[in-house]
Amino acid sequence: MARYGMALDYKSCINCKACESACKEENGILLGADSHRIWVGVKEIEGVFPDLSIGSTSFEPSQCQQCDNAPCQEVCPTNATYYDDNGVVRVNPDQCILCTYCMQACPYDARYIDDRTLTVDKCNFCSDTRLMNGETTTACQATCPTKVRIFGDLDDPESEISQVLKAREHHTLKTHLGTKPKLYYLT
Amino acid sequence: MDLNKILPYNKHTVKSFFSFDFTVLNIFMFLLSIGLVTAMFYGIGVYLIHGHHAYGVTRSHAWGLLIAMYVFFVVSSTGLCIMSSLGHVFNIKEFQIIGKRAIAGAIIMILTGFAVIAFEIGHPVRMVIYNVLTPGLTSAIWWMGTLYGLYLFFIILEFFFLNNKIHKYSKIFGLAGLIVGLAAHSNLGAVFGFLVSRPVANGVFYPLYFILSAMVTGSYLLFLMYGWRYKMKFPPEVEKFMITLAQVLGLLLAILMFFEIWRALTHLYGHMPERADIMLHMITSKNFLIGEVLLGMLIPFVIIVYSKGRAIKAMVYASITGMIGIFWMRYDLVHDTQLAPMLKLKIHEYVAAPGLVEYTPTAVEWMISIGAIGVAFMWYYAADKFFDLDHSTDNNGQ
């Protein structure tokens, strides 16, 4: 069993949205469902043309933070949201009653209603399409042209992600809430 | 099997069931109820075709008017149960006459609440199955739903024994209903209070506030139910009860205002993001100032204080404004909890950054939510027809 996490070298992001496309293709996200499952946050460029501050714009890719202490799991009345053996927070659509309490509880706005199954879904690190087949990649990570995303086993000290997190400073989002996210932003 | 021997009820033909005095008020209420129920059924029809797309709820504002109305109805139910317990559990003499009517109202209100939530929860049948098979014991919704189910069971038994004049058991199930009802209702407050991601809702306030505001709601409903029952010509024991009720309500409203003031101050103090800014928005909104404060608290409170609780006829009318205020309290509770966008990052995706999450209920939501009030009216009419909800003069008036 592994404990999967992801490090994001977000300053290398060029906002090409290849990760969004790959994720949506892989996981069957419906057309028009913007910012569902995965998205790239964009800080708009400052200034008025032609006096634009090139350095003011920034991109921050985001998705479910795969919390070790996930509020969405804690509030689920039917345990439809659960931790799998790899520590990935997942949803069993057969048990989801669509009360949307998880959408209220998630501090990262990572939950959305899947109109195909009429249940609340989220990123599951491609567990259904890749991890269950023995692959150790995710669609977003495999497609990223600037290698923003490093995916791997946090419990394996030799894995690339463990090495990177040892070597570089990083932060997590809304750390003060105690959710213990497993998405690390490299600074 | 003669049902009448198990649960005494008044037998009716279809004609006698629908016969009532043709007064202007009765005809108005009849037409209003028909209109509201028709609207609800139309709304349900649209919902069954289009699902949640018929509602104004969004990903950022996933809970809307139906959740607010569910809270409105179950608060009303718990309120009636608590207020009736003042008589048969806590032995306050003036309240001992309200048992049957209040408990019938409590059953009707919670059933109406369940009827509303059935069209908000996406998979209500699945909910019943997996609530039992895979219970989420860390979820406030699980506890709230399960305890409310148990509460309904107890108050139905309480009504059964009250109606059969078996007061020993009605007291036992009344007490059980009260305790489980309090637990269920404070858990409903915890559904919001446990949200660590929402600083404006997170904390102890809502579980306590829900119990207090339930008692206020129960008091308003008792004024309306008794005002309607006696058409403002109250017998002496009812008048005595209503004066005591007004005085108790005055105290409850004073405590409620005290709670609200301190919530506002503690939220504003220190300018904490997603708490102070949201609170400032809340207390300067028309919903709060006109709906909650003026209609929900000040008008009834001023009448009570000015008349020392003796203006019971005025209080019946003030209870209408009070219930409108209570509606806005529930609406604001649900809406304001979701005002702050969860991920600030997304604001940067727009050139003109939206400050707060917006939500406007659709016509379908209004039809189902407000239409449900008509359902409650009809059930109350039926309960009044089938059962003798008045107090008797024997056995402590119950």
Side-chain angles (χ1 to χ4, degrees), chain B residues 63-266:
Chain B
W63 284 352
L65 183 57
L66 266 71
I67 294 283
M69 273 315 261
Y70 166 72
V71 176
F72 175 86
F73 283 118
V74 297
V75 168
S76 301
S77 174
T78 322
L80 285 169
C81 176
I82 297 171
M83 296 312 285
S84 79
S85 74
L86 294 182
H88 60 254
V89 176
F90 296 104
N91 294 315
I92 299 177
K93 201 171 167 229
E94 288 84 348
F95 283 82
Q96 285 176 345
I97 63 169
I98 66 170
K100 267 192 282 184
R101 192 171 295 278
I103 294 301
I107 294 169
I108 288 165
M109 281 302 194
I110 194 155
L111 287 175
T112 314
F114 286 165
V116 172
I117 201 75
F119 300 102
E120 169 60 40
I121 297 285
H123 304 288
V125 178
R126 196 183 288 178
M127 175 186 77
V128 176
I129 297 167
Y130 284 104
N131 248 20
V132 178
L133 293 184
T134 57
L137 298 180
T138 53
S139 170
I141 281 193
W142 186 88
W143 284 102
M144 180 267 293
T146 307
L147 290 170
Y148 265 134
L150 198 58
Y151 160 78
L152 177 60
F153 175 69
F154 284 143
I155 60 174
I156 286 175
L157 283 178
E158 181 187 5
F159 183 78
F160 174 84
F161 288 116
L162 276 174
N163 205 43
N164 285 302
K165 294 188 169 49
I166 307 173
H167 294 294
K168 184 185 164 195
Y169 288 112
S170 71
K171 258 185 188 296
I172 292 170
F173 288 107
L175 181 61
L178 174 69
I179 292 169
V180 177
L182 286 171
H185 201 54
S186 44
N187 261 289
L188 179 56
V191 167
F192 297 89
F194 280 168
L195 290 172
V196 289
S197 57
R198 316 267 182 179
V200 75
N202 187 221
V204 73
F205 181 79
Y206 278 137
L208 302 177
Y209 164 83
F210 267 48
I211 300 298
L212 178 61
S213 69
M215 293 174 78
V216 171
T217 312
S219 304
Y220 287 149
L221 283 172
L222 285 171
F223 271 114
L224 291 172
M225 287 158 83
Y226 277 86
W228 176 259
R229 165 66 186 88
Y230 292 103
K231 302 290 184 288
M232 301 297 194
K233 292 177 186 124
F234 304 109
E237 71 276 15
V238 175
E239 190 174 326
K240 205 174 163 198
F241 151 68
M242 291 180 82
I243 290 171
T244 311
L245 177 65
Q247 289 162 346
V248 171
L249 178 58
L251 175 66
L252 292 171
L253 282 170
I255 300 171
L256 182 60
M257 286 187 272
F258 184 78
F259 267 41
E260 291 276 13
I261 289 167
W262 276 107
R263 173 173 71 144
L265 289 175
T266 48

Side-chain angles (χ1 to χ4, degrees), chain A residues 34-37 39-44 60-62 71 73-80 93-101 103-113 115 117-119 173-174 177 179, chain B residues 52-53 58-63 67 120-124 126-128 130-131 134-142 190-192 194-198 274 337-338 341-351:
Chain A
D34 289 339
S35 300
H36 285 47
R37 206 169 186 113
W39 60 90
V40 178
V42 179
K43 184 182 178 302
E44 295 286 342
E60 194 162 0
S62 197
Q73 194 281 330
E74 200 166 25
V75 302
C76 181
T78 57
N79 278 318
D94 290 337
Q95 282 172 236
C96 175
I97 62 169
L98 197 59
C99 66
T100 66
Y101 196 13
M103 293 171 76
Q104 300 294 336
C106 174
Y108 307 104
D109 205 9
R111 292 280 194 147
Y112 67 94
I113 296 173
D115 274 337
T117 57
L118 290 179
T119 55
L173 300 183
K174 298 191 181 181
L177 294 179
T179 52
Chain B
H52 278 94
H53 294 294
T58 59
R59 180 174 161 195
S60 304
H61 200 295
W63 284 352
I67 294 283
E120 169 60 40
I121 297 285
H123 304 288
R126 196 183 288 178
M127 175 186 77
V128 176
Y130 284 104
N131 248 20
T134 57
L137 298 180
T138 53
S139 170
I141 281 193
W142 186 88
V191 167
F192 297 89
F194 280 168
L195 290 172
V196 289
S197 57
R198 316 267 182 179
E274 294 185 31
T337 298
Q338 299 171 90
M342 276 296 85
L343 204 51
K344 290 279 184 197
L345 187 69
K346 286 188 174 180
I347 289 173
H348 298 311
E349 292 176 18
Y350 303 88
V351 177

Side-chain angles (χ1 to χ4, degrees), chain B residues 272-328:
Chain B
M272 181 180 164
E274 294 185 31
R275 197 168 79 162
D277 48 343
I278 301 297
M279 179 50 69
L280 189 63
H281 181 272
M282 282 163 64
I283 59 173
T284 52
S285 68
K286 283 181 193 158
N287 289 1
F288 179 79
L289 292 173
I290 298 173
E292 294 191 38
V293 177
L294 184 65
L295 300 179
M297 294 186 275
L298 273 186
I299 291 176
F301 186 70
V302 168
I303 291 173
I304 292 167
V305 171
Y306 188 72
S307 71
K308 297 188 175 65
R310 297 192 171 276
I312 53 175
K313 289 180 186 172
M315 271 312 296
V316 173
Y317 293 112
S319 293
I320 298 173
T321 77
M323 287 307 290
I324 296 170
I326 294 288
F327 164 78
W328 286 110

Side-chain angles (χ1 to χ4, degrees), chain A residues 8 14 16 47 109 161 178:
Chain A
L8 295 117
I14 56 172
C16 66
D109 205 9
I161 186 170

